Amino acid sequence: MASLKERFSRAGHPNDERMPLTVKNYILLLIGFAIIVAGFILMSGGGSDDPEKFNYAMFSWRRITLAPIVVIGGFAFEMYAIMKRF
């Protein structure tokens, strides 16, 4: 069975030279979208079931620091996926 890297290298279409984005670009765009979704999933939660009680869990390191870094990294990866010419 071919490795993931070998299958990515072989991905393509004869008309890719005339298109602004190739099949490889779209694969990278899907990966970037998955990274962004993962960042938003990391941001979720932290609410309180009781409206009278404040839950400090929403200020965790994961929601305040890690998740925004992952989302920004996903958007940077999306820009790379669009600009990369195969």
Side-chain angles (χ1 to χ4, degrees), residues 1-3 6 8 23 25 28-30 49 68-70 76 80:
M1 181 169 188
S3 72
E6 291 172 0
F8 181 76
V23 173
N25 292 101
L28 292 177
L29 283 169
L30 288 174
D49 295 332
I69 290 172
V70 171
Y80 170 77

Side-chain angles (χ1 to χ4, degrees), residues 43-54:
M43 249 186 252
S44 67
S48 178
D49 295 332
D50 183 13
E52 299 297 321
K53 186 176 178 187
F54 188 75

Side-chain angles (χ1 to χ4, degrees), residues 23-73:
V23 173
K24 293 179 184 180
N25 292 101
Y26 288 116
I27 292 170
L28 292 177
L29 283 169
L30 288 174
I31 293 169
F33 181 73
I35 293 170
I36 294 170
V37 169
F40 279 110
I41 289 171
L42 287 172
M43 249 186 252
S44 67
S48 178
D49 295 332
D50 183 13
E52 299 297 321
K53 186 176 178 187
F54 188 75
N55 187 359
Y56 287 98
M58 77 166 134
F59 296 116
S60 70
W61 182 83
R62 180 187 62 141
R63 291 185 185 95
I64 298 295
T65 306
L66 179 64
I69 290 172
V70 171
V71 170
I72 291 170

